[in-house]
C-alpha cells in the first residue's frame, strides 16, 4: 500500500503478506496507525497553511501571502516524501534518505535568484509542517492524562 491510496486499510498482495501470526498482526496495526498519523498531520498542515495564508494576505499583501503559500506547499511535499520514506523503512531500506532536503535548497536558491520571490515567507511557509508536529505533540501529551502532568 502506498500513501497515494485513499484507504488506510492494508491490502495483502501475496500469500506471504497475509497476517498469520501475532507479529504480522502487530505490523499491520502499526502501519494502520502510521497511515492515520500521516493523514492527521497532513490535514493539520493544510489547515494551518490555509489559515496563515489568509492571515498574511489580510495583514500584509497578496505577494507575501503567495510566497508563504509556495513555502507551505513545499512543506507539504516534503512531509509526503518523508512519509513515503518512512513507509519503506522497514521493508526495503535500512535508513532514511537525505534527498528531501534538496527540495528546500532548490526552492531557496530559486527565491534568491528570482526578484519576485521572498526568502523569509517561503522559509516560514516551509516550516509550517514543524508547527503541525508541535501542535500534535502538545495535543497528544495533554490528552494522554499522564500523571506527571498533573503534579504541582
Amino acid at each position: 500500500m502506498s500513501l497515494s491510496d485513499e484507504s488506510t486499510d492494508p491490502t495483502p498482495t501475496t500469500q506471504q503478506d497475509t497476517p498469520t501470526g501475532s507479529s504480522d498482526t502487530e505490523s499491520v496495526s502499526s502501519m494502520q496507525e502510521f497511515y492515520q498519523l500521516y493523514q492527521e498531520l497532513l490535514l493539520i498542515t493544510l489547515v494551518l497553511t490555509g489559515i496563515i495564508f489568509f492571515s498574511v494576505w489580510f495583514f500584509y499583501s497578496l505577494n507575501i501571502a503567495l510566497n508563504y503559500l509556495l513555502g507551505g506547499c513545499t512543506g507539504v511535499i516534503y512531509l509526503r516524501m518523508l512519509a513515503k520514506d518512512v513507509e519503506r523503512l522497514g521493508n526495503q531500506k535500512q535508513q532514511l534518505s537525505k534527498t528531501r532536503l534538496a527540495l528546500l535548497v532548490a526552492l531557496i536558491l530559486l527565491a534568491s535568484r528570482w526578484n519576485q520571490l521572498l526568502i523569509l515567507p517561503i522559509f516560514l511557509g516551509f516550516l509550517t509542517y514543524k508547527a503541525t508536529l508541535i501542535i500534535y505533540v502538545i495535543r497528544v501529551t495533554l490528552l494522554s492524562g499522564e500523571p506527571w502532568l498533573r503534579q504541582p
Side-chain angles (χ1 to χ4, degrees):
M1 172 171 212
S2 72
L3 291 173
S4 61
D5 295 339
E6 293 298 319
S7 170
T8 59
D9 298 330
T11 54
T13 55
T14 65
Q15 190 70 331
Q16 293 175 334
D17 292 339
T18 57
T20 56
S22 64
S23 69
D24 289 340
T25 305
E26 287 178 13
S27 174
V28 168
S29 174
S30 296
M31 289 309 292
Q32 285 177 341
E33 287 179 29
F34 169 73
Y35 293 128
Q36 289 173 350
L37 174 64
Y38 167 70
Q39 288 178 347
E40 182 178 353
L41 291 177
L42 187 62
L43 179 67
I44 294 171
T45 303
L46 291 172
V47 168
L48 268 180
T49 301
I51 290 170
I52 296 171
F53 168 74
F54 286 112
S55 300
V56 170
W57 187 3
F58 181 75
F59 289 108
Y60 292 101
S61 70
L62 179 61
N63 185 35
I64 293 175
L66 289 174
N67 280 280
Y68 171 82
L69 187 62
L70 178 63
C73 290
T74 305
V76 168
I77 293 169
Y78 180 87
L79 184 63
R80 183 167 168 79
M81 290 170 68
L82 178 63
K84 282 188 176 188
D85 219 15
V86 169
E87 181 183 30
R88 285 187 239 127
L89 188 59
N91 300 336
Q92 302 162 356
K93 297 170 69 175
Q94 296 300 320
Q95 65 180 10
L96 296 175
S97 69
K98 296 174 178 82
T99 57
R100 293 178 313 277
L101 217 45
L103 185 66
L104 175 64
V105 171
L107 185 62
I108 297 298
L109 285 174
L110 179 68
S112 67
R113 298 286 182 195
W114 202 356
N115 291 337
Q116 284 80 20
L117 295 179
L118 304 171
I119 294 174
L120 187 60
I122 290 173
F123 183 68
L124 292 175
F126 177 78
L127 291 179
T128 303
Y129 84 94
K130 292 285 191 182
T132 299
L133 295 176
I134 292 170
I135 289 170
Y136 177 79
V137 168
I138 290 172
R139 185 180 62 82
V140 168
T141 303
L142 293 179
L143 293 179
S144 67
E146 294 293 329
W148 58 271
L149 286 174
R150 288 182 255 159
Q151 294 177 353

